[in-house]
Amino acid sequence: MPGTAEVISIAFVVPRQGPTGIYGPSCLACGQLAVEQLNARRGIAGRQVELVHVDAGRSPEVVAEEVGRLVDTGRVDAVAGWHISAVRVALTRRIGGRVVYAFAAMHEGHDNTPGVFMLGERPVNQLLPAAHWLRDHHGVRRWVVVGNDYVYPRVTADVAASALRGSGSEVVGTSYVPLGTSDFGDVLPALERGTADGVIMLLMGQDAVHFSRQFARAGLSERLVRLSPAVEENTLLGAGAGANDGLYAAAAYFDGMATVESGEFARAYYQRFGAWAPALNAVGESCYEAIQFLARLGEVAGSVAIEDVAAMGSGQFYSSPRGLLRLDGNLLDQDVYLAAADGLEFRVQDRIARST
């Protein structure tokens, strides 16, 4: 039972329904792999690991209340997983400062809630260098943002607009739609009439699938580049090969990256789950990352209790499927890559940010 010397329980908060449910099978498989690998060794700080699954595809308040009850009763010792920032904000309001929380997703740049570790990519090492690369290599200078209407897309778009100003690139328009939008008929005409060179897609999961299909049917792939920090291999499969021309993604991990660390991870994943396993991708890998990160905290701090982790110094280095990572406060420094969609796969074009 949790709280004993034998078992550490982690609330594993990943989407299993809704627009981001498309990521769910990959998240669940990668989380299971992480736990099996840890339990085959010494678990976390000598304790076996179990996941308590929480569906992050529901409203943020519902998710936060379920996790809150798990923390209140001592059922879980930590929280980890991939979910949208709106869920993170609700969770930190409910449980912030009480247990360690490994937030796996790309994010808008900061969250200073005690115990929260922001493990994903952020605009300064993901979206902005990707926009600079596309300016330098393809002449894309005028961007329109199309995003879901919640904290991550809005704050990220504001950061991008401010940072790109005076750099030879600029954000010339923004459009936000509710999470769960399937019809982009109100958005596409403005793109057709506009003077932009590219679209920054801050759309999640199935929304990105619908947008890409409709974007391609409107013939916009022929003149507008798309750049996303959230599109991954599941999204390519969902949209179909014909909808992916001119689409770029920036992430710290892609399936098929030519690095030793990513190759070892992919071999272990497909050996465990087989050739028909859920698509391996940045979102799923980030869930593996979050659980392994908790193990690293347990190794360095002696436990994942928030008071022990708070006493741990910054600047810790460790290796993962993403390569060498460095903990900087509650953020991770990591290499980030830009990849171009090629049908149903990504082809890495360049490393656009390096861990420091």
Side-chain angles (χ1 to χ4, degrees):
M1 294 294 294
T4 71
E6 291 78 23
V7 177
I8 182 168
S9 294
I10 301 168
F12 189 48
V13 188
V14 300
R16 302 180 73 168
Q17 61 180 294
T20 57
I22 190 173
Y23 308 135
S26 300
C27 293
L28 294 171
C30 288
Q32 182 178 342
L33 178 63
V35 168
E36 290 176 358
Q37 289 181 342
L38 289 172
N39 286 343
R41 301 193 290 270
R42 62 183 303 270
I44 294 179
R47 299 163 67 186
Q48 290 287 284
V49 184
E50 70 165 2
L51 299 181
V52 178
H53 294 275
V54 177
D55 182 1
R58 300 167 296 167
S59 74
E61 293 74 20
V62 169
V63 178
E65 185 55 32
E66 181 173 341
V67 176
R69 289 196 301 270
L70 293 171
V71 173
D72 292 345
T73 59
R75 178 67 181 87
V76 298
D77 304 287
V79 177
W82 189 102
H83 35 272
I84 64 173
S85 287
V87 172
R88 187 198 79 239
V89 170
L91 276 175
T92 56
R93 289 196 190 110
R94 181 66 171 81
I95 64 164
R98 298 169 60 195
V99 294
V100 169
Y101 174 13
F103 179 64
M106 70 279 166
H107 55 87
E108 56 274 19
H110 60 86
D111 186 326
N112 296 322
T113 305
V116 174
F117 290 90
M118 309 281 276
L119 308 184
E121 307 90 338
R122 55 198 191 272
V124 69
N125 70 358
Q126 184 186 32
L127 186 61
L128 296 176
H132 295 326
W133 192 96
L134 287 166
R135 176 200 63 201
D136 294 343
H137 289 80
H138 295 286
V140 182
R141 297 179 179 276
R142 294 170 60 81
W143 295 96
V144 170
V145 173
V146 179
N148 288 124
D149 192 4
Y150 70 95
V151 57
Y152 168 73
R154 283 191 172 273
V155 174
T156 299
D158 288 345
V159 169
S162 176
L164 290 177
R165 195 174 297 121
S167 72
S169 301
E170 60 181 328
V171 173
V172 297
T174 57
S175 181
Y176 298 101
V177 299
L179 194 64
T181 294
S182 60
D183 183 353
F184 289 86
D186 293 338
V187 175
L188 295 173
L191 297 178
E192 292 172 333
R193 295 190 303 267
T195 60
D197 308 303
V199 178
I200 295 174
M201 288 173 55
L202 301 179
L203 298 166
M204 299 297 116
Q206 197 64 39
D207 290 20
V209 168
H210 289 304
F211 179 78
S212 285
R213 289 175 179 171
Q214 293 164 39
F215 185 92
R217 283 201 297 268
L220 291 169
S221 301
E222 299 171 8
R223 68 178 186 87
L224 289 174
V225 166
R226 281 166 291 161
L227 168 62
S228 173
V231 166
E232 41 66 75
E233 284 78 356
N234 283 301
T235 317
L236 295 188
L237 291 169
N244 297 328
D245 291 345
L247 174 61
Y248 291 83
Y253 179 88
F254 291 95
D255 190 19
M257 285 196 324
T259 65
V260 172
E261 297 89 349
S262 65
E264 291 176 350
F265 174 60
R267 281 191 295 275
Y269 180 84
Y270 289 113
Q271 182 178 9
R272 172 62 180 86
F273 297 109
W276 302 107
L280 197 51
N281 57 78
V283 174
E285 188 278 336
S286 75
C287 292
Y288 177 92
E289 193 76 46
I291 296 167
Q292 294 285 351
F293 176 79
L294 292 177
R296 177 62 176 167
L297 292 185
E299 179 182 346
V300 174
S303 83
V304 296
I306 195 164
E307 60 272 13
D308 293 332
V309 171
M312 182 185 69
S314 187
Q316 302 291 331
F317 284 89
Y318 70 101
S319 183
S320 88
R322 303 181 193 180
L324 186 65
L325 308 180
R326 185 177 75 90
L327 184 63
D328 180 12
N330 72 332
L331 304 174
L332 276 187
D333 282 334
Q334 55 202 299
D335 291 352
V336 179
Y337 300 85
L338 183 73
D342 180 8
L344 300 178
E345 298 179 329
F346 279 115
R347 306 293 183 196
V348 173
Q349 305 296 296
D350 207 348
R351 178 166 49 184
I352 57 174
R354 293 176 182 268
S355 59
T356 56

